[in-house]
Amino acid sequence: MKDYIFNVHDVVLLMTAAECLLLSIFQQVLPIRARNYGLLLTAFLLIVATASACTLVMWNDQFQVAPLFGQTLLPYLLFGALMLKGPAIYLYVSALTQQNLRLQRHHALHLVPALLLVLYLFIFDLSSDDLRRIAIAGQGFPESAVDLVWDISTAVPLAYALAAVLSLRRYRGELEDEYSHFSTTELHWLNILTYGVLISWGWTLAVHVLAKYSSVETADLLGIADNYVTFILINAFFAYSLSYAHQLLVTRPSSSRESAPGEPSDSAITKVRQAMEVEKLYLKKNLNLEQFSGRIELPAKEVSAVINKHFGTNFFEFINSYRVEEAKALLADAGRADMTVLDVLMESGFNSKSAFHRFFSRLVGMSPTEYRRQALNKKEVASV
């Protein structure tokens, strides 16, 4: 009877490593795009490939390698990769959401946790058997030292995943401060992927904790589930890179985002209000903060201060609230009853049905169709 080297779960790890290598190669032959995130995605793919391959070799007893590599070098590769996958995903998200991000010297600080853990392995001379908690006759392994290695290698990536999620939340806030309209599809999918990583690595930490208080079989099953999730996420990230990543909007560099000092002046408030109520700049589709500030001849940071401090909102909400009021006037006009809802949203400055319905329902408390019906019925009753 044949002895199988790999079971089906090992094959998932093997496929993950192989696919990451192929996707990283494919990523490099894609046409160069304006924003530099391809290199960081490639780095992430190669790191995951290394971690998957090392995990497979370490935990598969049927897969024989040279003792020098299997016992001595393998832990450095595995835990180096586990510690670097967090910085890789965080920097990838940063490159997607920041304008012209370039790797600089201070980014090298993200390597420090990995280097420290590798140094820790070297100082305690921890082998693969030690890390698997396999005791060899005449030799013991420091359990507390082994526990600390696994604790750090699961907690640090999770912290970076959380940082990536927070970075995306900040990015959305910046978009709302700068644009009156933006597509949420690309950002929505990136949110799903980033939260997927956070949940996956949170699951890894939970498995690590549960393994201390459950049977070996249960811990193995939980760990295997994590391998499947990783395989799915890798494919999802690459598909996102091909389909959506290049469509994300850029925001202004942080140096130009400084708030205007003090409270906004009365003249600035008047200019902003006049631009909305008299000139009706909100009717311009895809209006952004720079265009708006240019039309009223005020610095962008001063306009932002007026909207944030005086009106108590952001540019996105500010412009669209005026558009909703314009839409209400059109819907309540009996002379325009033949206009479709699509005509109304376009004429009021919106260019997205989903954004229009979302804002209208939230601000008015009913759908545009229901609002029109009620408004026209009231006018009919009043005229009788």
Side-chain angles (χ1 to χ4, degrees):
M1 194 171 183
K2 290 184 177 179
D3 290 329
Y4 292 97
I5 296 177
F6 302 118
N7 59 34
V8 64
H9 308 306
D10 292 335
V11 170
V12 171
L13 279 172
L14 188 62
M15 287 176 61
T16 301
E19 187 170 2
C20 284
L21 288 173
L22 291 174
L23 293 179
S24 63
I25 294 171
F26 185 58
Q27 179 70 28
Q28 292 307 301
V29 301
L30 289 175
I32 297 174
R33 292 177 179 143
R35 283 190 276 175
N36 182 29
Y37 58 81
L39 182 62
L40 290 164
L41 177 59
T42 299
F44 177 65
L45 292 170
L46 292 175
I47 289 167
V48 172
T50 302
S52 298
C54 290
T55 300
L56 175 62
V57 174
M58 177 176 283
W59 294 97
N60 189 320
D61 293 325
Q62 303 301 318
F63 195 78
Q64 299 298 321
V65 295
L68 176 63
F69 176 79
Q71 291 298 319
T72 305
L73 299 180
L74 186 61
Y76 298 129
L77 284 175
L78 173 59
F79 286 94
L82 291 176
M83 294 293 286
L84 288 174
K85 67 180 183 179
I89 198 63
Y90 172 73
L91 290 173
Y92 172 69
V93 170
S94 297
L96 286 174
T97 57
Q98 295 179 27
Q99 188 176 33
N100 300 322
L101 177 72
R102 293 291 183 269
L103 293 179
Q104 299 177 11
R105 288 183 179 179
H106 68 271
H107 290 126
L109 293 174
H110 293 294
L111 301 175
V112 172
L115 293 174
L116 290 176
L117 190 60
V118 168
L119 181 61
Y120 182 87
L121 291 171
F122 177 78
I123 292 172
F124 283 89
D125 194 24
L126 296 176
S127 67
S128 292
D129 284 342
D130 293 333
L131 294 164
R132 292 179 58 188
R133 296 181 172 85
I134 298 176
I136 300 174
Q139 299 179 19
F141 59 89
E143 283 200 42
S144 59
V146 170
D147 286 340
L148 184 59
V149 170
W150 287 109
D151 290 344
I152 292 174
S153 66
T154 52
V156 170
L158 182 61
Y160 271 102
L162 180 60
V165 168
L166 294 176
S167 177
L168 274 180
R169 290 172 64 90
R170 183 172 62 252
Y171 170 68
R172 185 183 182 93
E174 291 172 355
L175 288 179
E176 291 180 348
D177 280 340
E178 292 189 41
Y179 294 92
S180 66
H181 168 80
F182 58 89
S183 172
T184 58
T185 301
E186 301 83 12
L187 187 57
H188 177 68
W189 278 108
L190 184 56
N191 263 308
I192 290 175
L193 289 174
T194 310
Y195 273 101
V197 170
L198 180 65
I199 293 169
S200 173
W201 293 353
W203 175 261
T204 302
L205 182 61
V207 169
H208 172 63
V209 174
L210 290 172
K212 297 180 180 181
Y213 307 101
S214 61
S215 65
V216 175
E217 292 77 11
T218 301
D220 285 344
L221 288 174
L222 294 173
I224 286 167
D226 188 46
N227 294 337
Y228 280 82
V229 172
T230 299
F231 180 71
I232 294 170
L233 283 173
I234 287 300
N235 287 275
F237 265 105
F238 189 75
Y240 178 84
S241 174
L242 291 179
S243 305
Y244 296 120
H246 59 287
Q247 299 177 39
L248 283 171
L249 292 169
V250 296
T251 56
R252 286 173 291 139
S254 57
S255 60
S256 65
R257 298 185 58 82
E258 298 174 359
S259 301
E263 292 297 319
S265 64
D266 291 339
S267 62
I269 295 170
T270 300
K271 279 190 173 184
V272 171
R273 182 177 280 115
Q274 183 175 356
M276 299 300 288
E277 297 175 0
V278 179
E279 299 178 45
K280 295 189 174 184
L281 293 187
Y282 57 85
L283 295 179
K284 177 178 171 60
K285 295 178 177 60
N286 298 319
L287 182 69
N288 63 30
L289 183 63
E290 296 290 341
Q291 294 168 343
F292 184 88
S293 60
R295 288 287 296 271
I296 65 175
E297 299 180 345
L298 280 177
K301 64 181 181 181
E302 190 170 357
V303 173
S304 183
V306 170
I307 294 172
N308 295 158
K309 296 179 180 180
H310 181 77
F311 292 99
T313 186
N314 56 52
F315 187 71
F316 186 70
E317 299 276 346
F318 182 65
I319 297 295
N320 286 313
S321 64
Y322 275 91
R323 289 172 173 169
V324 167
E325 291 302 316
E326 183 75 15
K328 286 170 63 178
L330 293 173
L331 291 168
D333 187 350
R336 295 173 178 256
D338 60 335
M339 288 182 69
T340 65
V341 172
L342 181 61
D343 292 333
V344 170
L345 75 89
M346 296 297 287
E347 192 161 328
S348 58
F350 286 98
N351 63 358
S352 164
K353 288 177 65 176
S354 60
F356 172 65
H357 284 279
R358 184 172 69 252
F359 267 100
F360 196 97
S361 298
R362 179 160 62 82
L363 296 178
V364 183
M366 64 185 76
S367 70
T369 303
E370 178 65 16
Y371 177 82
R372 168 180 267 173
R373 186 183 66 78
Q374 291 188 16
L376 295 180
N377 284 345
K378 286 180 182 178
K379 288 189 175 182
E380 288 179 6
V381 171
S383 63
V384 173

